[in-house]
């Protein structure tokens, strides 16, 4: 490392929290660190430092670490068993190989912020999962501190906390039973091909993936598909590995057909046209971006509808879909099941429109705000 790595730690977690003594091996930066230490801390606990130094010199620290590791492992075991004993069925624990905490995942629907408020009434403090994220996640998780020595009081507190969590879970289950059915999770399939325009598929991918993330990953399953499993070289050289081939792709609820120069060759590719025809017939929604509309036109899906594409390709679309009304006045057109978006970035607008249509304007606005994109109008 040539002395460029600074090693530092503290004795607070291993000897005593009251010590507040740390150490640093600053390598080549020793003199600089000494100056910084002097300018930031005028008082130094010399007695404590001397005591710890003697403790280290006579190998007491190594013996202490072996002892404390066994103690902490035993405490983790006692906490784990008590949680599994008293918490609702389905509770899962992530047990680290070291440290003093457990990550506790309660059954879906348990609101640990509400659980925290209920527990405070019993003089029990918790660390709800939402404290550890800047996003709307970990609502049913707790971080459990296992550093305190095990006592009957801790056992009683965990039992009480488990009862409160069960009551929380039961209340959620009752509310679900009395509420109307929730929206199903939809599969969004983005069709990829050589020379596909990158933003034509990446823009919609981001919209639906972000929406799914913001809603707790229960709304959209966003995947890519290509004719073969080989990497796709998109427009301007970007290489993309598709998730599925035609043979393995699940049926789409929403089929997205992007554009790009590669659509011209696909107009004569019968296996691709046959697959698109089959998937479009059963899909809830079919959406094209840019010259992806060429493929919908080739399949006759635009006949009698209002459609659009990239502004430089409007005449080509008119030739391919003489029975359609090619209208460049809007960034996208919604015909019910069939939607077409204009060039490139318009696919984002159309995708946000679909989110608004399926989940409501508030969901689309949240996604647009997260993406730093103008909200749909």
């Amino acid at each position: 490392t040539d002395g460029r790595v600074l090693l530092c730690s503290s004795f607070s977690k291993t000897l005593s929290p009251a010590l507040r003594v740390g150490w640093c091996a600053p390598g080549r930066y020793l003199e600089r660190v000494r100056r910084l230490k002097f300018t930031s801390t005028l008082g130094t606990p010399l007695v404590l430092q001397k005591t710890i130094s003697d403790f280290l010199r006579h190998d007491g620290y190594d013996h202490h670490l072996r002892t404390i590791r066994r103690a902490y492992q035993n405490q983790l075991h006692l906490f784990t068993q008590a949680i599994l004993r008293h918490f609702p069925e389905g509770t899962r624990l992530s047990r680290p190989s070291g440290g003093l905490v457990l990550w506790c995942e309660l059954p879906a629907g348990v609101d640990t912020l509400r659980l925290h408020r209920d527990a405070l009434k019993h003089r029990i403090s918790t660390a709800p999962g939402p404290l550890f994220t800047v996003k709307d996640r970990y609502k049913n998780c707790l971080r459990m501190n296992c550093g305190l020595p095990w006592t009957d009081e801790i056992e009683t507190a965990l039992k009480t906390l488990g009862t409160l969590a069960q009551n929380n879970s039961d209340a959620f289950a009752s509310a679900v039973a009395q509420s109307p059915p929730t929206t199903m999770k939809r599969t969004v399939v983005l069709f990829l091909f050589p020379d596909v325009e990158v933003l034509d598929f990446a823009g919609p991918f981001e919209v639906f993936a972000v929406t799914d993330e913001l809603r707790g990953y229960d709304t959209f399953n966003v995947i890519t598909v290509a004719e073969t499993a080989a990497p796709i070289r998109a427009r301007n050289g970007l290489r993309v590995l598709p998730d599925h081939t035609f043979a393995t792709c699940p049926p789409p609820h929403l089929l997205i057909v992007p554009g790009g120069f590669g659509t011209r060759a696909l107009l004569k590719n019968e296996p691709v046209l046959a697959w698109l025809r089959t998937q479009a017939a059963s899909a809830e929604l079919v959406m094209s971006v840019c010259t992806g509309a060429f493929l919908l036109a080739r399949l006759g899906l635009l006949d009698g509808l209002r459609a659009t594409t990239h502004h430089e390709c409007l005449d080509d679309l008119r030739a391919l879909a003489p029975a359609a009304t090619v209208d460049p006045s809007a960034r996208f057109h919604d015909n019910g099941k069939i939607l077409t978006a204009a060039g490139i970035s318009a696919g984002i607008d159309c995708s946000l429109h679909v989110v608004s249509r399926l989940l409501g304007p508030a969901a689309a606005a949240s996604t647009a705000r997260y993406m730093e994109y103008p909200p749909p109008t």
Side-chain angles (χ1 to χ4, degrees):
T1 63
D2 196 28
R4 296 180 183 276
V5 176
L6 285 75
L7 303 176
C8 57
S9 188
S10 167
F11 295 103
S12 297
K13 296 293 186 183
T14 54
L15 285 178
S16 170
L19 290 177
R20 299 300 178 188
V21 174
W23 60 266
C24 180
R28 63 166 63 187
Y29 306 105
L30 175 60
E31 290 305 320
R32 190 181 304 179
V33 170
R34 277 178 173 169
R35 288 196 299 270
L36 290 171
K37 171 69 168 62
F38 177 76
T39 57
S40 62
T41 308
L42 294 178
T44 300
L46 295 177
V47 175
L48 286 177
Q49 290 192 22
K50 183 64 168 60
T51 302
I52 294 172
S53 176
D54 289 343
F55 193 54
L56 294 172
R57 185 178 298 111
H58 295 93
D59 297 327
Y61 188 62
D62 290 337
H63 174 74
H64 169 75
L65 286 181
R66 289 192 294 270
T67 302
I68 202 68
R69 284 183 186 126
R70 288 193 296 270
Y72 285 152
Q73 283 292 328
N74 184 56
Q75 285 178 207
L76 282 169
H77 174 74
L78 292 171
F79 270 82
T80 298
Q81 294 305 308
I83 290 170
L84 295 177
R85 211 168 32 246
H86 299 307
F87 278 40
E89 184 177 354
T91 297
R92 297 192 300 178
L93 292 174
S94 174
R95 183 172 180 176
S97 58
L100 309 174
V101 298
L102 293 171
W103 186 253
C104 178
E105 183 181 348
L106 292 157
V110 174
D111 182 349
T112 52
L113 288 173
R114 177 182 171 188
L115 178 62
H116 174 74
R117 293 191 294 269
D118 292 342
L120 286 177
K121 298 174 184 177
H122 297 265
R123 302 177 64 83
I124 300 171
S125 179
T126 64
L131 294 179
F132 305 98
T133 177
V134 296
K135 300 180 180 179
D136 191 22
R137 301 177 64 183
Y138 309 137
K139 290 183 177 180
N140 62 320
C141 296
L142 290 171
R143 192 194 71 173
M144 309 293 292
N145 188 338
C146 307
L148 293 174
W150 183 259
T151 63
D152 290 342
E153 185 180 3
I154 290 177
E155 169 90 32
T156 301
L158 288 174
K159 184 176 181 179
T160 301
L161 191 60
T163 300
L164 294 173
Q166 184 64 61
N167 293 342
N168 192 308
S169 179
D170 291 344
F172 174 78
S174 176
V176 169
Q178 298 175 30
S179 64
T182 57
T183 304
M184 64 178 177
K185 188 166 186 175
R186 291 175 167 91
T187 298
V188 180
V189 174
L190 293 124
F191 170 51
L192 302 183
F193 49 87
D195 262 334
V196 61
E197 187 70 43
V198 173
L199 196 58
D200 281 12
F201 70 85
F205 180 95
E206 185 75 359
V207 169
F208 292 106
V210 165
T211 301
D212 186 54
E213 180 183 4
L214 295 178
R215 294 174 66 85
Y217 301 97
D218 64 356
T219 307
F220 296 118
N221 176 34
V222 189
I223 59 176
T224 57
V225 63
E227 187 176 8
T228 71
I232 296 293
R233 186 176 291 277
R235 192 71 169 159
N236 296 318
L238 178 70
R239 292 167 63 88
V240 185
L241 188 65
D243 297 316
H244 291 278
T245 65
F246 290 169
T248 65
C249 185
H253 294 93
L254 172 56
L255 175 63
I256 299 178
V257 183
F261 189 77
T263 54
R264 280 73 169 176
L266 296 180
L267 293 174
K268 299 179 181 179
N269 187 322
E270 288 302 328
V272 166
L273 294 172
W275 185 84
L276 288 173
R277 182 181 293 107
T278 299
Q279 304 309 314
S282 59
E284 179 182 358
L285 298 174
V286 179
M287 174 182 137
S288 70
V289 182
C290 196
T291 56
F294 289 3
L295 296 174
L296 301 192
R298 177 70 173 80
L299 297 173
L301 297 178
L302 301 183
D303 291 352
L305 304 181
R306 191 171 297 275
T308 190
T309 185
H310 191 279
H311 64 273
E312 294 183 353
C313 303
L314 295 168
D315 289 339
D316 293 328
L317 183 58
R318 291 186 179 101
L320 286 166
T325 300
V326 178
D327 178 5
S329 65
R331 285 177 65 78
F332 62 86
H333 292 292
D334 183 346
N335 297 280
K337 177 174 179 174
I338 307 295
L339 301 96
T340 59
I344 310 179
S345 64
I348 298 177
D349 298 66
C350 192
S351 297
L352 288 169
H353 169 76
V354 170
V355 170
S356 178
R357 178 174 150 181
L358 296 176
L359 305 173
S366 295
T367 298
R369 183 165 57 251
Y370 181 88
M371 292 174 58
E372 300 283 358
Y373 197 81
T377 56

